[in-house]
Amino acid sequence: MTDRRDFLKASLLGASALALAGKVDAGTSAPAKGAAGARVISTWDFGVAANQAAWAVLSKGGHALDAVETGVMVPEADMKNHSVGRAGYPDRDGHVTLDASIMDADGSCGAVAALEHIAHPIQVARRVMERTPHVLLVGDGALQFALEQGFKKEELLTPESEQAWKEWLKTARYQPSANSEVRDYGKTGMPGGKDNHDTIGMLAIDASGRLAGACTTSGMAWKMRGRVGDSPIIGAGLYVDGDVGGATSTGVGEEVIRNAGSFLVVELMRQGRSPQEACQEAVMRIVKKRPNASKDLQVGFLAMNKHGDVGAFAIQPGFSYAVCDAKRQDGLLPSKSVY
């Protein structure tokens, strides 16, 4: 198998051509048994390990829904990842709150928002989908449901996250003013970028051609108490239609919600756009509506159609996405961007 550094170098040179073609060929190794036609993609570099966990399901002929749930649980459990799951940075009051959604090809979906004390919100989101008549449970109600379902209540604020929060408090303007979490990131970088807060969004197609998606995050560091971004909002952070394809988003969720971003990407694919064209058009809609604001934040979309073709586009450079299939399980590609 090609050395990863060589692959990354080559992908930087060739990503534009790959994206325009609407297809990703991440290597040349022999197909795994039971994996023909299967593919999984996800946001950011930590998506590589998540994809590999999902691939363990897909390579055995497993269902795409099981694969995406299994895959995103990897960053949820990663104690070094401060933007997803149990090690996420808290809100400005010191509470770690988690958001997640999951969606199947037939429109079945479930989500939780502002969930505390549960390490794997994606599992609770799936229970909402399968065991309730609802789509979204939030806050104390989501926690009550999780406990009733047998999930373990835990303290999610890690010593490292607590220390980072206390350091932020020393210089932060601590008042409930809108968007102060965006202004006060400090050393954590541009809002929506990989260095401050982010999401893992994952899409999979299995060997039977079934699509599914999942999205999970701890949201913006130092956010206002009760803030919810796009990740648990079906049609914003995640949308899947088995007749068309799926899309997921990353970055500043408020901008994605305003444009029903992932639903927009899927609808554009329904109208005939490639995944690449659909992601680019959705990003440009955000930029056109908010040209000044968009210069200082990140939003990216990742999409896959029912044929397994892949596309991505972002406002700022630096967004990467991971691709895993029978040919290669550690693919990582840079997204094209506006700026």
Side-chain angles (χ1 to χ4, degrees), residues 327-339:
K327 295 180 178 180
R328 185 166 187 154
Q329 288 81 58
D330 62 352
L332 185 64
L333 296 171
S335 169
K336 296 184 71 175
S337 62
V338 177
Y339 300 115

Side-chain angles (χ1 to χ4, degrees), residues 67-185:
V68 295
E69 179 186 19
T70 299
V72 301
M73 286 174 65
V74 172
E76 281 186 341
D78 184 357
M79 300 305 290
K80 295 180 180 179
N81 190 328
H82 298 299
S83 63
V84 178
R86 60 176 304 123
Y89 283 145
D91 61 24
R92 64 184 61 190
D93 295 321
H95 302 273
V96 177
T97 60
L98 307 180
D99 307 325
S101 62
I102 192 166
M103 191 167 189
D104 209 350
D106 64 358
S108 299
C109 51
V112 291
L115 175 64
E116 296 185 57
H117 303 300
I118 304 296
H120 288 293
I122 195 64
Q123 291 185 306
V124 185
R126 184 166 180 178
R127 296 287 182 90
V128 172
M129 178 181 76
E130 295 179 339
R131 301 187 182 184
T132 81
H134 308 305
V135 169
L136 175 64
L137 295 180
V138 304
D140 290 342
L143 176 59
Q144 177 183 334
F145 172 73
L147 296 177
E148 290 171 351
Q149 291 295 308
F151 289 93
K152 179 183 177 182
K153 186 174 182 179
E154 303 179 44
E155 174 55 66
L156 300 184
L157 184 63
T158 66
E160 186 176 358
S161 294
E162 183 176 19
Q163 182 59 37
W165 170 60
K166 289 180 177 178
E167 286 297 318
W168 174 79
L169 286 176
K170 291 178 181 179
T171 56
R173 180 181 295 176
Y174 188 75
Q175 60 182 23
S177 59
N179 296 324
S180 68
E181 69 278 1
V182 172
R183 294 192 301 270
D184 296 334
Y185 268 114

Side-chain angles (χ1 to χ4, degrees), residues 176-216:
S177 59
N179 296 324
S180 68
E181 69 278 1
V182 172
R183 294 192 301 270
D184 296 334
Y185 268 114
K187 66 179 181 180
T188 54
M190 177 179 290
K194 66 183 178 67
D195 295 322
N196 54 34
H197 95 89
D198 226 292
T199 303
I200 182 163
M202 177 177 284
L203 303 166
I205 184 168
D206 60 32
S208 298
R210 297 169 298 199
L211 284 157
C215 189
T216 181

Side-chain angles (χ1 to χ4, degrees), residues 316-330:
Q316 309 290 343
F319 172 44
S320 60
Y321 60 100
V323 181
C324 175
D325 56 26
K327 295 180 178 180
R328 185 166 187 154
Q329 288 81 58
D330 62 352

